């Protein structure tokens, strides 16, 4: 009886990009704290927030049920997968409504070129919605998407746990210059936007794993990484 058993422990072993949330090559950062000046978007955003909150609560209850010794992990996993797909579709629709461009622009000016990039990005979001809808029908295909708050809501979501954060983080992060990703690559820009407080060009990817870990630790937590102390003397780690 003591300690309690840990059934279905493999369910909590997840694989994904730790620094940014990706679905295929599309970065989808779920907008947990939607704010908008436009009243129409605000109404949509409120609806989105309510739906996100509802789905997150449903996912959490299902995830907690997985750990019951006699639970049907296979059945629960399929239900959780479907809820996650609904949440991603919800977020992509929000991105299209609030950030996307409906009509393809024409012309050759620099402004038109930027608008064309946004229009192409919007088409990519629509394509991902289509693929997610197909994924819902193909029940045995894996959903390859990871998000800290989505996959660990009982730890990372303030609405469900006022004392958010992990007690212990242990890791062996990668070591390479972020330039290896490509200076103007989508993932490098996403990291820059997500970690502006420590961003410096030509910095080591390791720094962002440290920054991430500090974000998801709770106060007084233990953070253990296998790293070189070279970052203590790196000019590019100055902000960190």
């Amino acid at each position: 009886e003591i300690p309690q058993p840990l059934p279905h422990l493999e369910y909590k072993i997840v694989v994904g990009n730790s620094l940014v949330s990706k679905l295929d090559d599309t970065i989808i950062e779920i907008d947990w704290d939607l704010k908008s000046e436009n009243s129409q978007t605000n109404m949509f955003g409120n609806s989105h927030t309510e739906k996100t909150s509802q789905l997150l609560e449903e996912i959490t209850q299902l995830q907690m049920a997985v750990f019951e010794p006699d639970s049907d992990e296979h059945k629960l996993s399929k239900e959780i997968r479907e809820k996650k797909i609904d949440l991603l579709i919800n977020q992509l629709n929000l991105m299209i409504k609030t950030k996307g461009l409906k009509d393809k622009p024409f012309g050759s000016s620099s402004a038109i070129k930027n608008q064309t990039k946004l229009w192409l990005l919007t088409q990519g979001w629509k394509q991902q919605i289509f693929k997610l809808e197909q994924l819902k029908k193909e029940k045995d295909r894996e959903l390859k998407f990871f998000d800290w708050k989505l996959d660990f809501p009982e730890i990372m979501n303030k609405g469900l746990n006022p004392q958010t954060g992990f007690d212990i983080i242990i890791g062996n992060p990668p070591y390479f210059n972020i330039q290896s990703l490509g200076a103007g690559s989508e993932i490098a820009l996403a990291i820059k936007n997500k970690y502006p407080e420590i961003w410096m060009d030509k910095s080591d990817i390791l720094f962002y794993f440290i920054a991430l870990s500090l974000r998801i630790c709770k106060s007084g937590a233990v953070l253990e990484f296998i790293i070189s102390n070279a970052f203590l003397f790196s000019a590019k780690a100055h902000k960190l």
Side-chain angles (χ1 to χ4, degrees), residues 2 19-20 33 47 56 58 75 105 109 114 126-127 133 140 149 158 220 230-231:
I2 300 176
L19 296 182
V20 295
D33 301 307
S47 171
L56 187 58
E58 291 171 359
K75 178 176 178 292
S109 69
N114 288 332
K126 290 180 179 179
Q127 181 63 23
E133 295 285 6
D140 294 325
K149 191 175 285 190
K158 286 184 180 179
F231 85 93

Side-chain angles (χ1 to χ4, degrees), residues 129-169:
I129 290 174
F130 175 78
K131 290 166 72 173
L132 285 166
E133 295 285 6
Q134 293 298 115
L135 195 61
K136 283 185 72 172
K137 298 174 184 176
E138 300 172 32
K139 304 292 186 182
D140 294 325
R141 277 183 58 202
E142 182 184 0
L143 170 64
K144 296 181 179 179
F145 179 83
F146 171 73
D147 176 272
W148 286 99
K149 191 175 285 190
L150 180 59
D151 285 277
F152 296 99
E154 67 276 25
I155 296 172
M156 297 305 302
N157 180 29
K158 286 184 180 179
L160 302 172
N161 175 21
Q163 303 296 321
T164 57
F166 289 89
D167 296 295
I168 302 171
I169 293 179

Side-chain angles (χ1 to χ4, degrees), residues 176-179 199-205 207-208 236:
F176 61 85
N177 193 292
I178 203 161
Q179 294 293 106
W199 171 264
M200 297 185 78
D201 65 341
K202 301 180 182 178
S203 49
D204 197 297
I205 196 76
F207 305 159
Y208 303 94
K236 295 297 182 180

